[in-house]
Amino acid sequence: LFLGFLHAGHIGKGDPLPVFIGRLTSPALAEREDTPASLRGAAQELASTLPLTPGDRRLFDLILRESDRIDHIIHEFLDFTRETPLCPRPLPLAGLLGEIHLLLRQRASADAVMIEMECPRELRVQADYEQLKRVLLNLGINALESLPASGGRVVFRAWPTGHPPAGRPTPAFPAPLSGGGVVVECQDNGSGISPEHQARLFEPFFTTKTRGTGLGLALVKNVVVRHLGLVVSRSSPGQGTTFSLWFPP
């Protein structure tokens, strides 16, 4: 199949990996982009009209969770391969983090999972709304998946550049930060990441999960870099992970 595409001239030898993969697979995935939502809607409609036993309810809940998982995988893949034009504008960050809190709360597998947002109400970030929402959601989902079954803590923090909350260390960004801008962090107290894996975190298709795509963090870095921002991580096995993002003014 690959050789057929190459000989037909559909894929250029100089194409970067996202473009290559996008041209090869995006048409088929795009046709199925709305399928998970349709399955979820049908399941919810049936569940609201049929008398369900506890066993039936568990099956319907499984359908809903798997529909959400497939939907996330498809959109993660399409977002990674598509070069959607950015539409940056001043966004009220506290409101966006509030939306992320609600979405993560629905995904949390235990009541013992604490999800917290620390952000000045007046703080704004210059960013594309949909792209930033995808970035924060990906980081939050990764954080939730790193927590033990007994629960844990996920915290998002945001502050103006140069004014971190009391007691917070300054993220070790690879370059000095220009004046202004916003720092956003996602911290968890989950399983952490081993040193040998940390160097490959943002590598496309690298994952240690049995059901992961390896695109979530690659998408995070891609979006942040397209905003001319920076992203770094720090982690200790057994103690958790922190991702720090910087967006210029």
Side-chain angles (χ1 to χ4, degrees):
L1 178 61
F2 164 72
L3 290 177
F5 268 72
L6 187 60
H7 290 310
H10 295 305
I11 299 173
K13 293 182 179 179
D15 283 337
L17 180 63
V19 175
F20 163 73
I21 295 170
R23 291 185 181 179
L24 188 64
T25 60
S26 288
L29 281 176
E31 291 181 1
R32 294 158 177 81
E33 188 171 1
D34 297 327
T35 300
S38 298
L39 291 174
R40 174 180 248 284
Q44 289 177 315
E45 182 66 22
L46 285 173
S48 67
T49 57
L50 297 176
L52 301 179
T53 66
D56 294 334
R57 175 62 63 183
R58 286 193 294 273
L59 288 175
F60 271 101
D61 289 342
L62 177 62
I63 292 172
L64 296 180
R65 288 197 303 272
E66 288 300 294
S67 297
D68 288 343
R69 186 179 70 86
I70 295 170
D71 181 71
H72 180 73
I73 290 173
I74 290 175
H75 282 91
E76 190 174 68
F77 198 92
L78 291 174
D79 286 345
F80 180 71
T81 58
R82 289 170 174 167
E83 281 292 331
T84 306
L86 294 178
C87 298
R89 57 186 176 89
L91 300 177
L93 196 50
L96 178 55
L97 288 176
E99 293 182 36
I100 299 299
H101 182 277
L102 291 175
L103 293 171
L104 294 179
R105 188 69 265 168
Q106 294 173 358
R107 288 176 173 267
S109 59
D111 293 336
V113 173
M114 294 184 292
I115 303 172
E116 303 173 15
M117 305 290 170
E118 301 176 6
C119 176
R121 184 169 296 277
E122 70 280 1
L123 187 62
R124 292 178 177 268
V125 60
Q126 186 76 13
D128 181 290
Y129 171 80
E130 290 295 339
Q131 297 290 318
L132 181 56
K133 182 177 179 179
R134 176 65 68 178
V135 163
L136 299 179
L137 186 59
N138 277 355
L139 291 176
I141 291 172
N142 272 5
L144 289 178
E145 292 177 346
S146 76
L147 300 179
S150 57
R153 185 168 179 248
V154 176
V155 184
F156 279 87
R157 297 183 182 89
W159 63 86
T161 302
H163 301 280
R168 292 300 303 163
T170 300
F173 290 110
L177 303 184
S178 62
V182 172
V183 176
V184 184
E185 281 193 345
C186 177
Q187 180 185 22
D188 66 68
N189 62 348
S191 57
I193 303 166
S194 64
E196 62 268 26
H197 290 156
Q198 289 185 38
R200 302 184 63 189
L201 280 181
F202 300 106
E203 182 180 310
F205 303 105
F206 173 75
T207 181
T208 59
K209 303 173 186 177
T210 57
R211 305 179 75 182
T213 64
L215 291 177
L217 292 178
L219 173 66
V220 167
K221 183 173 182 179
N222 182 44
V223 171
V224 172
V225 168
R226 291 181 65 205
H227 280 82
L228 305 180
L230 300 168
V231 54
V232 294
S233 66
R234 64 180 184 273
S235 183
S236 298
Q239 298 183 33
T241 301
T242 300
F243 287 93
S244 302
L245 318 176
W246 175 74
F247 293 91

